Amino acid sequence: MFVYPSDALERLEYIKVIDHIREYCLSESGSLQLQHIAIETDVHVVEKLLKETEEFRNIFERGEVFPIFGFESIFYDIEWLKKDGYVLDVEAIQRIYFVISISLAVQEFVSDEEKRKFIPLLCNIVQPMELDQTLIREIDKVFDSKGEIKPDASPELLKISKQIKSKERESDKIFLQELEFFRTKGFLTDSFESIRNGRRVLTVLSEHKRKVGGIIHDESATGKSMFIEPEKLMSINIEINNLYADRKAEIYKIIRDLCIVIRPYSEQLLTAQEILTTLDVLRAKAKYAYEIKGKRPKIQKKSCLRIKVGYNPVLYVKNRNAGIPIIPFDLVLHNNNRILILSGPNAGGKSVVLKSVGLLQLLLQSGVLIPVDENSEFGIFKQIFVDIGDQQSLEDDLSTYSSHLKNMKITLEKGGADSLILFDEFGAGTDPKIGGAMAEAVLYHLNKEKCFGVITTHYSNLKFFAFKAPGIVNGSMEFDKQKLVPTYQMHVGKPGSSFAFEIARKTGLPEHIIEYAQKKSGKNEQAVDEMLISLMDEKKEFEKKFDALIDKQDKLDRLIKSYEQMTADIEVKRKKMKLEAKESAAHILYSQKHELQKAIQEVKKIKDESSLKKMVEDLKEKQKIADEQLVNLKQEVYDQEVKKQNRPIEKGDFVKMRSGSSVGEVITVSNKKAEVQMGHFKLFIPVIDLELSKEPIVISNTKSINTDKINKNLPESKIDLREYTKQDAMRLLQEFLDRALLHNFYELKIIHGHGTGVMKKEVWKMLREYKDVKKYWHPESEQGGEGVTLVQF
């Protein structure tokens, strides 16, 4: 993001907030990364950063502890380690060990499936970590839990360590003997012994120093005591010193071998540190968000500001700690109202609102959750221009107004639709008429360039310009006229007064001074403000009524559309009901025809056919009429649905038969017939018998499947028809057989019982109607006998 001028971030107190967030960092590398944090301008990057911070904050809210702790940078240690033959010191190994330990703990944390559901983005951050227990085990062989070299890190070191302990015990024994001997002689002071130059020494009275053989290491400040290493200890102490030198040499060899083991993992270790640093920064942001109750608002690609219940983060923390209530603000800036001209009394909160808008925008684009309502909306700005306070400079030979003009110049040159302008006391610093006119000219250009911004002013001409110009809106800070104090409440839609005379009276300025000032200012200035406020009230009332009218029109349009849709749906349902009735009538006629044919067969036996032939002809004619009506009705329903869908059934559509529930895919459509793939079957079906359906859910074979869940969705391979009426039993049997065919069942079991045999006959009758039935039979008596029918497809 382009930010102008160079001290804009400090003036908006952005640096102050970032420094506050840095205090939550556990590592120096995390703090350094925050110090140079980028203000992003890519909407996707901003959304990702905010979601990552939100996931970390949610960890705190759930009461969980993310296993990241303070660690020192290992960057330079690894850079040295990459050089063949280089041996790190013990402290460097300990730093590396700590980074590995934290990394493994983090990897274990995100491996929990339950946790992964809540923190997918954090899991993606940790994913590149490729460390395992190998390094930890190798380092654990050398170091103990306190980070000290283990005595048994190697067989040679163990041997040397044992020798050192043995010699030190021997040295202690001899020293105590010497101490007791010289103490009984009265040669020692009251303290008996001390440590000098790493050696255990006797504290000998000066007058007896020649009576105690050994090396004098030191004497007391008064010269009354001498610190002597007994002669008998000298040889053994030399041996101990030599053993410690051997120990140091052996430790060097051990560390050298350990460096050889660690060296191949150099890049993985640097990656691990980079990830831990990223997590440390996110943790710091999340801690800060938890402190200020930060939320993730909605992010828009286009420039806009819709702040609901917004707080200044700096003021929020300060007032909360002091127990002072803080007043939130709402602000909406969009294409119709991009620039807010904010007026009102001094010390009424204008500058606070202006700074808050800038600070919230900058923090958001840095991936920091901000104290606003989560339904707020923020666009992404690529430039921000700030003019706050007195920016005069003796070095640059700039007066106050010159500095303001310079800021205006840069803003006019670079500002555009993706810019956020924040000008405090716009046009101040020179003659009010000239300053106001210059500010209005600049404001005209900024509005023409479709910039967004918040501008504070006391100039009436700017308030009036905002009233006239589309794209600019007035706003004011509320002032309590009774108590003569600001309320810090912001109102968008009308300008505010400076209340200069009222504040002067409260301050205690003499009344005659105020009266003189009022006379000199004249009534015109006050009249303009009052007229402007009155006009804004009328405009606001008009806009309110206009919006209500538009809202009513929208509701009416929706009602008309809903009515038309409902009418169309009712027409379709009516025709469907008529279609079902016709189909039912056709089925009855077909049934009658079948019964009549049976009757004809009987009549043929008695040679009396003449009367029945006429009945057959009549029945055929009725059947023909019913079929034609059925086809016409189906066509009407289909045409109605085509009109509703704005297209006919096409190749690739998923459909189902009107009289069934199985879904298939249309392969081809030709001559008003569709070739439909239903499971393993290809069917040619008239399009008027089909209706559009949703795509069925397909389970991929490449993924693991929970077979228990799938089996629950499959139909049973047996059915029990006992205790059902014949009509219900046949309906259930037909559905059962259809489902079995669709799921490619090979064998079925139908339990119908013995009874009178009626149910069995009906079952076998239906089985004969299915061409896919290969055979059916009764099982052995122990498996149900004639009360059960087995079916094979």
Side-chain angles (χ1 to χ4, degrees):
M1 173 185 268
F2 176 78
V3 180
Y4 184 84
S6 57
D7 63 347
L9 297 181
E10 283 186 45
R11 291 184 178 275
L12 292 174
E13 297 188 285
Y14 173 81
I15 302 298
K16 186 175 184 178
V17 172
I18 294 300
D19 287 342
H20 184 77
I21 297 174
R22 288 174 63 196
E23 294 174 5
Y24 286 113
C25 285
L26 298 170
S27 66
E28 189 63 33
S29 57
S31 178
L32 194 63
Q33 191 175 107
L34 268 173
Q35 188 178 357
H36 300 95
I37 190 170
I39 303 171
E40 304 290 346
T41 56
D42 187 305
V43 63
H44 301 295
V45 174
V46 173
E47 282 187 328
K48 181 173 176 288
L49 289 172
L50 291 172
K51 288 176 181 178
E52 288 170 350
T53 306
E54 186 179 46
E55 284 186 3
F56 223 122
R57 186 205 61 192
N58 291 342
I59 291 174
F60 297 139
E61 290 182 348
R62 290 196 300 272
E64 297 177 12
V65 178
F66 193 87
I68 185 169
F69 310 99
F71 61 92
E72 295 181 61
S73 174
I74 60 171
F75 177 79
Y76 293 108
D77 298 328
I78 297 299
E79 288 302 310
W80 282 112
L81 182 64
K82 287 179 180 179
K83 302 180 185 296
D84 286 337
Y86 188 85
V87 179
L88 297 173
D89 56 29
V90 172
E91 289 76 16
I93 299 291
Q94 289 171 342
R95 288 192 289 271
I96 291 172
Y97 179 84
F98 207 57
V99 167
I100 297 170
S101 300
I102 298 172
S103 300
L104 291 175
V106 168
Q107 285 178 268
E108 184 179 356
F109 183 87
V110 301
S111 65
D112 188 317
E113 286 299 325
E114 285 300 314
K115 290 186 175 70
R116 291 178 72 87
K117 295 176 184 176
F118 299 105
I119 52 171
L121 294 177
L122 294 183
C123 291
N124 290 340
I125 292 173
V126 177
Q127 190 176 8
M129 276 188 179
E130 296 178 350
L131 298 175
D132 55 32
Q133 296 289 338
T134 304
L135 282 177
I136 285 287
R137 285 195 292 268
E138 291 298 323
I139 298 175
D140 279 340
K141 290 177 183 177
V142 177
F143 291 90
D144 60 19
S145 58
K146 295 179 181 178
E148 302 292 334
I149 300 288
K150 290 181 178 180
D152 59 350
S154 74
E156 183 62 24
L157 185 63
L158 180 60
K159 178 183 174 182
I160 294 170
S161 298
K162 288 180 178 179
Q163 289 175 343
I164 289 172
K165 284 185 179 180
S166 175
K167 290 296 180 182
E168 285 179 342
R169 283 196 298 269
E170 186 180 345
S171 173
D172 289 343
K173 182 179 179 182
I174 293 171
F175 183 83
L176 292 173
Q177 288 173 353
E178 290 293 285
L179 185 146
E180 183 62 25
F181 175 77
F182 289 116
R183 187 181 66 79
T184 56
K185 293 279 188 179
F187 295 167
L188 306 180
T189 65
D190 292 340
S191 59
F192 300 144
E193 64 175 297
S194 184
I195 300 291
R196 287 292 185 275
N197 300 325
R199 301 289 183 90
R200 200 173 178 187
V201 294
L202 297 172
T203 310
V204 181
L205 293 168
S206 295
E207 59 267 27
H208 300 299
K209 65 181 180 180
R210 299 188 183 280
K211 298 174 184 178
V212 178
I215 298 175
I216 298 174
H217 282 272
D218 198 4
E219 67 177 328
S220 65
T222 60
K224 293 181 179 181
S225 302
M226 308 298 291
F227 301 99
I228 301 173
E229 180 184 359
E231 186 176 7
K232 291 183 179 180
L233 283 176
M234 290 171 59
S235 61
I236 194 168
N237 281 343
I238 290 171
E239 289 182 40
I240 291 172
N241 282 343
N242 291 337
L243 285 171
Y244 271 107
D246 294 341
R247 181 179 183 274
K248 185 177 181 181
E250 181 61 22
I251 287 174
Y252 179 85
K253 291 178 184 177
I254 294 168
I255 297 298
R256 181 192 63 196
D257 294 341
L258 188 57
C259 287
I260 293 172
V261 173
I262 298 173
R263 188 168 288 115
Y265 294 90
S266 296
E267 292 303 326
Q268 289 96 317
L269 288 168
L270 288 177
T271 300
Q273 178 179 264
E274 187 179 335
I275 291 170
L276 291 181
T277 301
T278 301
L279 292 172
D280 188 24
V281 169
L282 288 174
R283 177 190 173 278
K285 288 181 182 178
K287 279 282 188 183
Y288 180 70
Y290 193 71
E291 178 187 9
I292 64 169
K293 297 182 180 178
K295 299 287 194 306
R296 176 172 63 88
K298 298 173 183 176
I299 308 298
Q300 302 293 344
K301 292 181 180 179
K302 59 184 180 181
S303 300
C304 71
L305 274 173
R306 290 183 177 85
I307 302 174
K308 297 181 181 179
V309 196
Y311 294 92
N312 183 293
V314 177
L315 205 58
Y316 183 90
V317 174
K318 178 184 174 183
N319 286 11
R320 188 198 58 191
N321 293 339
I324 302 171
I326 179 171
I327 310 298
F329 70 95
D330 293 351
L331 176 62
V332 177
L333 296 180
H334 47 73
N335 286 333
N336 296 329
N337 293 320
R338 295 182 306 277
I339 300 175
L340 172 69
I341 300 297
L342 189 57
S343 52
N346 287 316
K350 299 191 300 297
S351 298
V352 172
V353 170
L354 181 142
K355 284 184 175 181
S356 299
V357 171
L359 181 56
L360 291 174
Q361 187 69 44
L362 289 169
L363 290 174
L364 182 87
Q365 290 187 222
S366 302
V368 179
L369 301 178
I370 53 178
V372 297
D373 186 276
E374 58 191 6
N375 291 314
S376 301
E377 296 180 20
F378 283 76
I380 299 298
F381 293 98
K382 295 183 179 179
Q383 302 176 105
I384 185 166
F385 300 91
V386 180
D387 189 355
I388 299 175
D390 185 0
Q391 296 182 346
Q392 65 176 319
S393 171
L394 295 176
E395 292 180 2
D396 299 331
D397 194 25
L398 287 176
S399 66
T400 299
Y401 189 62
S402 296
S403 67
H404 290 323
L405 287 175
K406 183 182 178 183
N407 291 340
M408 290 180 194
K409 175 179 175 292
I410 300 297
T411 305
L412 289 171
E413 289 175 354
K414 297 182 179 293
D418 56 1
S419 301
L420 180 62
I421 315 297
L422 302 171
F423 283 0
D424 194 24
E425 301 296 346
F426 194 33
T430 189
D431 181 276
K433 287 187 178 180
I434 297 173
M438 189 69 74
E440 185 175 328
V442 173
L443 182 59
Y444 171 81
H445 181 81
L446 295 176
N447 186 40
K448 186 179 176 182
E449 292 298 318
K450 300 190 182 302
C451 296
F452 283 72
V454 177
I455 295 173
T456 69
T457 187
H458 291 284
Y459 291 164
S460 295
N461 69 306
L462 295 183
K463 302 176 194 176
F464 191 69
F465 181 74
F467 169 72
K468 294 188 302 178
I472 308 177
V473 63
N474 272 300
S476 62
M477 301 306 297
E478 190 180 78
F479 188 79
D480 190 329
K481 294 181 182 179
Q482 303 297 324
K483 298 179 181 179
L484 296 179
V485 292
T487 64
Y488 305 108
Q489 296 275 2
M490 185 179 74
H491 297 287
V492 176
K494 65 179 180 178
S497 170
S498 298
F499 294 100
F501 299 128
E502 289 83 350
I503 294 173
R505 284 193 178 91
K506 186 189 177 188
T507 306
L509 208 65
E511 187 63 30
H512 66 277
I513 300 291
I514 297 171
E515 289 176 359
Y516 182 85
Q518 285 177 322
K519 287 178 183 178
K520 294 298 289 182
S521 66
K523 296 181 180 180
N524 289 340
E525 190 72 24
Q526 188 174 357
V528 168
D529 273 357
E530 289 176 356
M531 182 186 71
L532 197 54
I533 291 171
S534 176
L535 285 171
M536 289 301 297
D537 285 339
E538 291 178 9
K539 182 182 177 184
K540 195 172 182 180
E541 184 65 26
F542 171 76
E543 288 175 347
K544 185 178 178 181
K545 289 180 179 179
F546 184 74
D547 288 342
L549 188 62
I550 293 295
D551 186 51
K552 285 181 180 178
Q553 184 64 45
D554 287 342
K555 286 181 179 178
L556 182 61
D557 290 343
R558 287 196 298 269
L559 281 172
I560 292 171
K561 188 175 180 180
S562 176
Y563 171 76
E564 289 174 349
Q565 182 67 41
M566 186 172 62
T567 303
D569 289 344
I570 289 172
E571 181 64 18
V572 171
K573 288 179 181 178
R574 185 185 68 78
K575 290 187 175 180
K576 280 187 176 181
M577 290 173 66
K578 189 176 178 182
L579 175 61
E580 289 171 1
K582 289 289 183 181
E583 285 180 335
S584 178
H587 285 308
I588 292 171
L589 285 171
Y590 276 122
S591 177
Q592 289 175 350
K593 181 180 177 181
H594 183 67
E595 293 296 327
L596 190 58
Q597 285 175 343
K598 286 175 67 178
I600 289 170
Q601 296 297 325
E602 294 294 326
V603 171
K604 281 181 179 180
K605 295 177 182 179
I606 59 172
K607 309 295 182 180
D608 187 10
E609 301 180 14
S610 57
S611 60
L612 288 175
K613 279 185 179 180
K614 189 175 183 305
M615 290 176 62
V616 170
E617 294 300 325
D618 292 343
L619 189 60
K620 283 182 179 179
E621 185 62 28
K622 287 181 181 179
Q623 182 68 54
K624 183 179 178 182
I625 294 170
D627 286 343
E628 288 175 356
Q629 289 177 343
L630 186 61
V631 170
N632 291 337
L633 193 54
K634 283 182 179 180
Q635 187 65 48
E636 284 183 36
V637 173
Y638 176 73
D639 292 341
Q640 194 75 26
E641 288 178 345
V642 168
K643 185 179 179 182
K644 184 178 176 182
Q645 299 289 339
N646 291 323
R647 66 178 184 85
I649 291 174
E650 300 171 345
K651 178 183 176 181
D653 285 339
F654 287 92
V655 295
K656 65 178 182 179
M657 292 190 66
R658 298 183 187 280
S659 58
S661 59
S662 299
V663 177
E665 183 179 2
V666 176
I667 300 171
T668 59
V669 178
S670 177
N671 297 326
K672 296 185 179 182
K673 283 193 176 184
E675 184 182 2
V676 182
Q677 182 77 47
M678 285 193 177
H680 296 286
F681 299 97
K682 284 186 181 179
L683 307 174
F684 287 90
I685 306 170
V687 290
I688 59 175
D689 288 333
L690 297 173
E691 60 183 11
L692 289 172
S693 178
K694 292 181 181 178
E695 181 178 355
I697 296 172
V698 179
I699 301 173
S700 174
N701 294 327
T702 59
K703 298 182 179 179
S704 59
I705 312 170
N706 187 332
T707 54
D708 292 339
K709 292 183 180 178
I710 292 173
N711 289 336
K712 290 176 183 176
N713 296 326
L714 287 173
E716 293 283 343
S717 61
K718 68 176 182 179
I719 186 171
D720 190 346
L721 301 176
R722 293 174 295 180
E723 300 182 5
Y724 284 100
T725 63
K726 185 175 75 171
Q727 186 177 357
D728 288 342
M730 292 304 101
R731 179 177 54 80
L732 289 171
L733 179 60
Q734 185 176 4
E735 292 176 0
F736 171 69
L737 293 171
D738 290 344
R739 285 198 302 271
L741 277 170
L742 285 172
H743 287 86
N744 297 318
F745 275 44
Y746 177 70
E747 191 169 291
L748 303 176
K749 183 177 182 180
I750 303 171
I751 305 171
H752 44 67
H754 293 277
T756 60
V758 173
M759 189 68 77
K760 171 194 162 182
K761 289 179 181 178
E762 292 296 328
V763 168
W764 285 35
K765 178 182 175 183
M766 182 171 288
L767 291 175
R768 285 193 291 271
E769 294 175 4
Y770 279 82
K771 295 179 181 179
D772 294 289
V773 174
K774 183 178 180 182
K775 64 176 181 176
Y776 48 91
W777 72 98
H778 292 306
E780 299 295 330
S781 57
E782 58 268 17
Q783 294 180 356
E786 294 190 358
V788 174
T789 295
L790 299 180
V791 182
Q792 195 176 87
F793 289 114

